[in-house]
Amino acid sequence: MFSTGMVPDGVTFVGVLTACSYTGKVKEGLDIFESMKSKYMVEPKTEHYACMVDLLGRAGKINEAVNIIEKMPMEADAAVWGSLLGACRTHAKLDLAEVAAKKLLVIEPENAGPYILLSNIYASQGKWNDVAELRKNMRARSVKKSPGSSWIEVEKRVHMFTTGDIRAHPEHSMIMKMLENLDVLLREAGYNPDGNFVLHDVDEEEKLYSLRYHSEKLAVAYGLLKVPKEIPIRVMKNLRVCGDCHTAIKLIAKVTEREIILRDANRFHHFKDGICSCRDYW
């Protein structure tokens, strides 16, 4: 834009900083953020600070992200604290996660997101009493968590899958058979289910059962059954794809020699030959 004489505005910088965040380009992002005001006379707003917190947080630079928040000339909003909370989830920074979650609960008391992310952190560390307390608070405030749901279009008809509810689909027996076949192929390829993504205090066998029936896995299994091999399998999901499903779908794409495109709540993931377009940086 600069080379052609076009002047970037605030929206332009949101896009560029988001791109830096998604690709791990920390130095480039910091340089661009610094240039906004000094070079382009664009005053950074809360959305730009949220991008910077996300950029630093994804890269594991949590303290630097906190410094950005502390130096903001305006009050941090939900997007800023949400970015910090997400980074704390990725890098298991429990103390800061609690701070960010409490800020979010004040700003958006009816939003289930902060409860879920903090619950994820507690669950990953086996703090089931804290998980139970969070759920109690959610019930007291009538905060509802949206169930994980995924959609796939086959022959101009949309099929919806909800986590753990496989029998709701009329072809559930075929889907279960496909999942069983995939289990064998995935284990031969070295896949080990990650029980940290199950948010219940249950034994390992139950955790593995729960992971198998995540909605995106159900939709992908149905796509393998119904979508011709020369056509990519395209799935939409209402929430962020979990880490275990991300690993599993990479391997599914490899062992079945299929292209799988998953659009979750944050971004597109294009799986092919055992690799995702996000390069596992998401």
Side-chain angles (χ1 to χ4, degrees):
M1 291 178 70
F2 182 73
S3 64
T4 59
M6 296 180 68
V7 180
D9 59 10
V11 176
T12 306
F13 283 105
V14 169
V16 174
L17 291 173
T18 299
C20 289
S21 177
Y22 277 14
T23 53
K25 296 184 181 298
V26 176
K27 182 182 183 304
E28 292 88 341
L30 288 169
D31 290 343
I32 290 168
F33 182 72
E34 290 298 324
S35 74
M36 283 181 63
K37 189 174 181 179
S38 62
K39 185 175 181 179
Y40 298 103
M41 305 304 160
V42 176
E43 192 72 33
K45 297 182 180 179
T46 52
E47 55 264 36
H48 302 108
Y49 285 98
C51 288
M52 294 307 298
V53 171
D54 189 60
L55 169 72
L56 293 166
R58 285 175 186 267
K61 300 179 180 294
I62 307 297
N63 291 335
E64 289 91 334
V66 173
N67 288 337
I68 287 281
I69 295 174
E70 291 175 345
K71 293 177 181 178
M72 286 178 61
M74 72 286 288
E75 194 74 22
D77 64 4
V80 173
W81 290 114
S83 295
L84 181 63
L85 181 55
C88 290
R89 163 68 178 98
T90 301
H91 299 286
K93 299 292 185 179
L94 180 58
D95 292 344
L96 276 175
E98 289 182 298
V99 172
K102 288 175 181 177
K103 292 284 188 180
L104 281 167
L105 293 177
V106 172
I107 298 171
E108 297 180 338
E110 305 304 318
N111 182 5
Y115 291 97
I116 303 307
L117 276 172
L118 189 53
S119 179
N120 289 356
I121 294 171
Y122 285 144
S124 68
Q125 298 187 1
K127 298 191 174 186
W128 301 110
N129 288 337
D130 291 321
V131 172
E133 185 64 26
L134 276 175
R135 290 175 178 163
K136 180 181 177 181
N137 290 338
M138 288 179 71
R139 289 192 296 270
R141 298 188 182 190
S142 299
V143 178
K144 301 292 185 182
K145 175 193 173 185
S146 299
S149 300
S150 297
W151 297 263
I152 182 171
E153 183 177 341
V154 176
E155 296 178 352
K156 297 184 179 180
R157 181 183 173 189
V158 175
H159 296 257
M160 175 179 160
F161 297 89
T162 302
T163 295
D165 192 20
I166 186 172
R167 295 189 181 277
H169 196 278
E171 297 176 275
H172 69 270
S173 59
M174 292 175 58
I175 299 170
M176 290 184 70
K177 183 66 175 177
M178 173 58 75
L179 289 171
E180 290 170 4
N181 293 338
L182 288 173
D183 279 348
V184 175
L185 293 173
L186 290 179
R187 290 191 182 281
E188 289 176 350
Y191 166 67
N192 289 307
D194 190 345
N196 287 328
F197 292 97
V198 180
L199 307 182
H200 304 285
D201 188 9
V202 297
D203 62 31
E204 288 303 314
E205 185 175 349
E206 288 181 89
K207 284 185 179 183
L208 299 185
Y209 180 88
S210 175
L211 287 171
R212 175 193 276 185
Y213 297 119
H214 276 190
S215 66
E216 53 267 59
K217 284 181 182 152
L218 299 178
V220 167
Y222 191 67
L224 289 170
L225 287 167
K226 298 292 185 177
V227 178
K229 191 160 187 175
E230 63 274 12
I231 300 175
I233 295 169
R234 301 175 185 273
V235 174
M236 298 283 290
K237 181 176 170 64
N238 66 330
L239 304 176
R240 186 176 183 266
V241 61
C242 88
D244 178 77
C245 287
H246 191 269
T247 298
I249 296 173
K250 281 196 303 179
L251 284 174
I252 290 171
K254 182 177 181 179
V255 299
T256 62
E257 299 181 343
R258 297 294 300 266
E259 286 188 57
I260 303 171
I261 300 171
L262 171 64
R263 175 66 167 98
D264 71 2
N266 287 355
R267 64 187 299 170
F268 280 95
H269 297 268
H270 182 191
F271 301 91
K272 184 179 180 181
D273 299 327
I275 298 172
C276 179
S277 57
C278 75
R279 303 291 175 179
D280 299 336
Y281 195 84
W282 52 283

